[in-house]
């Protein structure tokens, strides 16, 4: 499978625990995005990387959230001291930079997501 | 700032046409359209770029009105497989800016 891979697919945790999600992007993509999606809502931007550099992080994201992409390949998203409001689907997407005039549209390829339930 | 999508929901019979809209209060560099089926990841449909360039799906068309900062997605002769939630995403300042999604429009196509 050459798509975006996310692990674990499901995570149930107790309030106050730390959780970590992993995303393996499509190998030739240098951009990686994290989004959060709750029922009935669109994907909410969390952060994105170009190679290993974190280019932007949502101001809505509290200090309990951190993301890394140390070698410019896979990425991890850690949530510390989880709260019930963190329950959501965490989506990862990858892309290559859009190139004008070519076939590359800069479209995002999404993984299946990691569903977090905080009890 | 999140783009605004309308209407909130659409119900169609197979073969009917539909138009769904996405608008922003700020200037847009590009608009993306994605479709998400229940329990699945969003899938890319179409991108519209400032200046009118358009890339994407063979059976679905879209427009981008730069003056109104609005994009519309046209679904013609709808099929059962078109059912799902349609999200528009926008980049404001260029190809390197983040992609922000609207809340989505649920489209249901019935036999």
């Amino acid at each position: 499978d050459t798509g975006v891979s996310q692990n674990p697919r499901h995570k149930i945790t107790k309030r106050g625990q730390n959780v970590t999600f992993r995303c393996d992007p499509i190998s030739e993509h240098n951009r990686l995005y994290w989004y959060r999606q709750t029922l009935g809502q669109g994907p909410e931007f969390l952060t994105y990387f170009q190679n290993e550099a974190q280019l932007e992080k949502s101001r809505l994201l509290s200090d309990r959230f951190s993301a890394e992409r140390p070698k410019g390949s896979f990425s991890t998203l850690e949530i510390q001291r989880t709260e019930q409001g963190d329950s959501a689907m965490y989506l990862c997407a990858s892309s290559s930079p859009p190139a004008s005039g070519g076939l590359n549209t800069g479209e995002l390829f999404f993984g299946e997501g990691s569903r977090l339930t905080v009890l | 700032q999140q783009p605004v999508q309308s209407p909130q929901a659409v119900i169609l019979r197979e073969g009917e046409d539909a138009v769904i809209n996405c608008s922003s209060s700020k200037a847009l560099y590009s608009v993306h359209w994605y479709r998400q089926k229940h329990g699945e990841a969003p899938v890319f449909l179409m991108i519209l770029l400032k200046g009118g360039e358009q890339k994407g799906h063979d059976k679905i068309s879209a427009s981008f009105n730069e003056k109104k900062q609005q994009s519309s997605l046209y679904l013609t002769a709808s099929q059962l497989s078109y059912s799902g939630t349609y999200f528009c995403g926008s980049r404001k300042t260029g190809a390197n800016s983040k992609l922000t999604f609207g809340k989505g429009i649920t489209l249901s196509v019935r036999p």
Side-chain angles (χ1 to χ4, degrees):
Chain A
D1 189 334
T2 56
V4 177
S5 175
Q6 292 189 243
N7 289 287
R9 294 291 309 280
H10 298 90
K11 179 72 177 178
I12 300 173
T13 191
K14 292 183 180 179
R15 187 163 50 96
Q17 298 294 306
N18 299 344
V19 295
T20 300
F21 300 114
R22 175 177 169 129
C23 172
D24 287 272
I26 293 171
S27 59
E28 60 268 27
H29 286 176
N30 66 349
R31 291 187 171 184
L32 187 148
Y33 302 77
W34 285 101
Y35 287 87
R36 176 172 64 188
Q37 187 175 29
T38 53
L39 193 64
Q41 300 296 314
E44 177 190 7
F45 173 80
L46 295 179
T47 189
Y48 96 95
F49 294 84
Q50 181 155 296
N51 300 312
E52 64 274 10
Q54 189 173 20
L55 295 190
E56 192 163 353
K57 182 176 175 180
S58 170
R59 288 175 292 176
L60 299 175
L61 217 57
S62 77
D63 291 342
R64 296 183 298 105
F65 287 71
S66 62
E68 293 184 338
R69 194 182 182 198
K71 297 182 180 179
S73 56
F74 73 92
S75 174
T76 57
L77 176 70
E78 182 183 16
I79 308 173
Q80 296 182 325
R81 304 181 303 281
T82 52
E83 302 172 355
Q84 287 183 325
D86 297 332
S87 295
M89 177 71 83
Y90 289 85
L91 293 168
C92 175
S94 70
S95 76
S96 47
S100 62
L103 295 177
N104 178 13
T105 63
E107 69 185 88
L108 270 59
F109 291 82
F110 282 88
E112 296 291 330
S114 293
R115 181 169 295 284
L116 174 66
T117 302
V118 182
L119 302 176
Chain B
Q1 189 170 359
Q2 188 177 41
V4 177
Q5 295 190 243
S6 62
Q8 285 190 319
V10 178
I11 300 175
L12 298 173
R13 290 212 176 271
E14 204 173 359
E16 291 181 339
D17 302 338
V19 180
I20 54 180
N21 301 303
C22 174
S23 63
S24 173
S25 59
K26 297 191 176 182
L28 300 176
Y29 169 80
S30 66
V31 176
H32 291 219
W33 285 96
Y34 289 77
R35 178 171 61 208
Q36 185 176 31
K37 292 183 179 287
H38 182 70
E40 299 179 7
V43 174
F44 174 78
L45 293 175
M46 177 79 65
I47 183 171
L48 299 107
L49 302 172
K50 191 174 179 180
E53 189 176 6
Q54 175 177 308
K55 300 176 183 179
H57 209 280
D58 288 336
K59 297 183 179 179
I60 296 173
S61 63
S63 64
F64 182 19
N65 185 321
E66 290 179 42
K67 187 174 180 182
K68 293 184 178 180
Q69 295 304 315
Q70 179 175 308
S71 176
S72 296
L73 191 71
Y74 304 96
L75 304 163
T76 55
S78 58
Q79 304 170 18
L80 296 177
S81 61
Y82 285 7
S83 293
T85 303
Y86 289 76
F87 296 102
C88 70
S90 63
R91 294 187 197 274
K92 288 190 172 52
T93 58
N96 292 324
S97 59
K98 67 183 180 185
L99 188 63
T100 303
F101 288 94
K103 291 187 176 182
I105 293 170
T106 301
L107 183 82
S108 300
V109 181
R110 299 181 176 175

